[in-house]
Structures are given as C-alpha cells and as structure tokens.
C-alpha cells in the first residue's frame, strides 16, 4: 500500500504537498477531501487525521498531518528527492526550518485571514468580515516586507539566496497564490509594491512547471466564479 | 567563539532552549534581552535577529531564530544530546515535527494570547483586553482537549506515549507554564478538568529537574508582582 495524500486543492498546504510529490516523482494516490462539502468532518476522515484538517498522509501504516512535517518527512524518506528541497547540511536545513516556523503566525495567518474574510468565507458557509480582513491584510503586508528585506535580499532567486527552491519557497508561494481569489484590483494593490515578491513567485512557478500551474487549476476556477459573482453584485460601469 | 543564546526568561520559547541546553550539557552563554525594557528593538539585537524576537542563537558565525528550528538544530548538532529529544528514526521524528507545527496556531496562539491580554500586558506598559483574552482562552482550552485526546491518550507519560520527553514536550509545557502569572483561581479553573495535562506537566518538570525549576524562577517573581498589583487594584474601594 503506497503513499496516500488526503488533500483539497483549495487548501494552500495541500497544493504544496501535491506539487512536491509530482516534482520529485513520488508515487502517490491523491484522495480528495472537499472542505466546502464538510468531508473533513466525517468519522472516516477523523480516523486519518483527528484534527480534521487537510493535508494528511498515510504511508503504509504511518499517518501524519501538518504540511511542514509532511514535507520534511517526504524529503527525508524518498531517495528521489533532490537535496535542495531540504538540504542535508545542518545550517542550511535550520534556516529553512526557521522560515517554515515563522510562516505559521505571520504570512499564513495574515494571508489566510485576509483571503477568508474578504473573499472565500461565503463558499464555506460563513460571512465576510471587513474588519478581520483588514487586520489580516496588515499582517500580510508586514510579512511580505520581512520576506523581501531579509530572505530575498540582493537578487535572490529563491529564499535565503538559494539557486534552487526549497520546501520553504513552495510552502510560502502556495500560500500567496490564494490571493488569486481576492478582487483583482485589491490583489494588485497588495502585491504592486513588492517587485521582489512577484519575481520570486514567478521563479517558483517556473521551477515547478508544469505541476504548479496544473495543481492551481481549481484556484483559477474558483477565482472566475467569485469574480463573476462580484460583478453581478456590482457590475463595473 | 561558542554558542550564545539570546533570551528573556519570561518568554516561553526562550526557557525551552535554556532548559534543553542545560539538560544536554551544551555549553552556552545566555545573553539576556529584556523585553520589558525594549532591548529586542535595539539596532544591535536587530543584527542578531531582524525579526526582533527572542529566542535567537549565534553559533560561531551561524545565526538562527525561531525556537523549534533552534531546538532541531541543537539536537542534531551536539553529540551529547540523547536521541529521545529528537529521534533519528524518521517516523518518530515526523510525529514530533507534527506537534511542533500544530503548536504555533493552537496552544501557543491560544495560551499566549490569553496570558498576555489577560495578565501580562501591564508588565510591558500595555492595557489588558478582556475580549481578546477570552478568544485566546477558547483556543487554549480546545487545544488542551486535543492534546489529551490524541497525544496523551492511555497512560502516556509524555506526548505520543513516549517514555522520555522530546523537544515537543518541552516546548508545549514551557508554554503552559506561562499560566502561572494569571490569577491563581482562574488558572486552577482552567487546569482542573485536565488531569492528564497536569500529570504530563509534572512528568516534564521531574524529567528536567533541577533546570526546569531554576529557569522558571523569574516567572514566579513576575507572578508575585502581578498578583500584588491585582490585590492593590481590587482593594482600592
């Protein structure tokens, strides 16, 4: 029984795992858990992940959740994974760990709060919340500044000045892709001051082509649906 | 030039690093960065950690921040560290990584928010905020239930049913110790329904004796100061 990845491609960390596996020729079965249909709350899925969240994996009899733990495990367990994703060198590895840890309470929290409360909430049965969205946006913007000034300084192609992407690049850029579902002009205003961020996102997309585009397909569909709904509500004159 | 640990012992993750080093006979110099005096915002400290937070380490010329990344790095770099702290076995290690990742947005966010906005803020010249504290408390309580149900089930001495502590035990228990500065009756009400949590905290304290007690000394001082302030306020009728 091979590797199973329980995922919803609308979930940023789910996408990171799927892209990582495809890039590294890791054989896996993708099991779709549709969050918008509450499939993460079924008793069957609770046996896979008692925290009722995606992504989660089963490798043989070994179950694991939390995307960063999963990415580390896959990088260390599968010999086909190139070293640059999660280097064996301890100091290089530690610096990637540092970014992955920082991510939770910073970029992830900011971006997720902003996107959920300004765009995605209705798709999951909740209402929008402009105040919460604004707080999220502040944290998102300050996180982008920190990434830019610290981890992308100089002419860095990838975080930490690396020449090739690591699991930190993949995780953080998948998070930022979620901004696609926000109103386009809003999204442009958020990203416009950050040339280095936009360049970095392009670098990651190119380095993980064609899987990045393919895995993000669902996001563009949802983006189109939400945009058409927004235009119906307030057609642009 | 040996290991330097930049820490404030009122900071939960700072304490985890210090206790870990002492338990594993890792030689280090502790450099106090007093948060209540704003020492984390000096230009000198910004060179150590551009995120202006504790803990941070400098090992030779290598700088690192984020406590989980630091603990992983120390566990892997220093041969004196026993395997149980961060096992070499990939699946055991991955399960510990999973807890450390989960911690950020769950127990840490809940307990950190509750303690700061419900008790600690005045020590930093900031007002309390009962509403925010209440939100933190909800998240903290649901996190405690999850830890009990999943990672401490059965007769677990430590997380995951391990017979010896890992860096996950140390991190999470140091976080919970911050509750000491909250009003004593409140603290008892929170912990009273959670026998497993209380037992687990005692197990970690005993396993890391005498360092655990010594390193938490400052917290008990802060507790006494805040309690005396609370008594002054509520006797001013």
């Amino acid at each position: 029984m091979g590797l199973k990845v329980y995922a919803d491609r609308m979930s940023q960390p789910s996408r990171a795992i799927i892209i990582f596996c495809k890039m590294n020729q890791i054989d896996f079965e993708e099991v779709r858990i549709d969050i918008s249909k509450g499939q993460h709350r079924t008793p069957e899925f609770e046996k896979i992940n008692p925290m009722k969240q995606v992504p989660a994996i089963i490798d043989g009899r070994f179950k694991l959740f939390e995307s960063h733990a999963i990415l580390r495990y896959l990088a260390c367990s599968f010999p086909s994974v190139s070293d640059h994703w999660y280097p064996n060198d301890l100091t290089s590895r530690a610096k990637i760990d540092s970014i992955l840890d920082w991510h939770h309470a910073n970029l992830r929290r900011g971006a997720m709060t902003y996107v959920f409360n300004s765009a995605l909430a209705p798709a999951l049965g909740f209402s929008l919340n402009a105040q919460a969205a604004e707080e999220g946006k502040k944290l998102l913007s300050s996180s982008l500044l920190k990434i830019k000034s610290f981890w992308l300084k100089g002419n860095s192609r990838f975080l930490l000045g690396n020449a090739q992407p690591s699991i930190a690049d993949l995780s953080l850029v998948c998070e930022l892709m979620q901004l696609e579902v926000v109103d386009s002009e809003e999204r442009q205003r958020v990203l416009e001051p950050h040339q280095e961020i936009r360049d970095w996102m392009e670098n990651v997309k190119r380095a993980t082509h064609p899987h990045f585009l393919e895995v993000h397909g669902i996001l563009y569909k949802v983006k189109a649906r939400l945009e058409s709904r927004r235009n119906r509500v307030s057609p642009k004159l």
Side-chain angles (χ1 to χ4, degrees), chain A residues 221-237:
Chain A
K221 283 191 203 154
V222 170
K223 170 191 173 109
R225 255 201 336 265
L226 289 173
E227 242 164 29
S228 115
R229 188 179 301 173
R230 277 193 287 263
N231 286 338
R232 272 207 300 276
V233 167
S234 61
K236 298 205 163 41
L237 302 163

Side-chain angles (χ1 to χ4, degrees), chain A residues 132-175:
Chain A
E134 196 54 36
E135 281 172 23
K137 193 166 152 193
K138 272 194 197 130
L139 181 53
L140 166 61
S141 297
S142 80
S143 300
L144 291 178
L145 272 170
K146 286 174 179 166
I147 293 171
K148 212 167 63 164
S149 57
F150 188 59
W151 287 308
L152 289 175
K153 58 182 180 219
N155 272 328
S156 286
R157 288 197 65 213
F158 299 104
L159 298 169
L160 298 163
N162 289 341
Q164 289 182 288
S166 69
I167 54 178
D169 294 277
L170 190 54
S171 190
L172 274 62
V173 170
C174 282
E175 187 65 51

Side-chain angles (χ1 to χ4, degrees), chain A residues 78-211:
Chain A
F78 286 83
S80 57
V81 177
S82 309
D83 187 69
H84 62 83
W85 288 108
Y86 194 53
N88 270 320
D89 172 68
L90 280 183
T91 58
S92 308
R93 178 172 283 205
K95 289 203 174 270
I96 288 166
D97 282 337
S98 185
I99 299 174
L100 289 170
D101 288 340
W102 171 90
H103 180 48
H104 292 276
N106 290 276
L107 183 67
R108 175 143 176 85
R109 187 182 303 172
M112 196 161 70
T113 305
Y114 169 58
V115 173
F116 183 81
N117 288 291
S118 65
L120 273 186
L124 297 164
F126 293 91
S127 20
L128 298 179
N129 182 331
Q131 195 188 353
E134 196 54 36
E135 281 172 23
K137 193 166 152 193
K138 272 194 197 130
L139 181 53
L140 166 61
S141 297
S142 80
S143 300
L144 291 178
L145 272 170
K146 286 174 179 166
I147 293 171
K148 212 167 63 164
S149 57
F150 188 59
W151 287 308
L152 289 175
K153 58 182 180 219
N155 272 328
S156 286
R157 288 197 65 213
F158 299 104
L159 298 169
L160 298 163
N162 289 341
Q164 289 182 288
S166 69
I167 54 178
D169 294 277
L170 190 54
S171 190
L172 274 62
V173 170
C174 282
E175 187 65 51
L176 279 173
M177 285 301 291
Q178 206 76 345
L179 288 173
E180 289 289 341
V181 305
V182 161
D183 171 82
S184 303
E185 283 173 22
E186 254 310 291
R187 178 183 176 275
Q188 259 187 41
R189 269 195 291 271
V190 169
L191 289 180
E192 206 274 327
H194 305 293
Q195 181 71 54
E196 293 92 328
I197 298 284
R198 287 181 280 127
D199 289 347
W200 165 55
M201 289 176 77
E202 283 307 307
N203 290 338
V204 172
K205 283 182 198 177
R206 269 200 303 269
T208 53
H209 186 79
H211 307 296

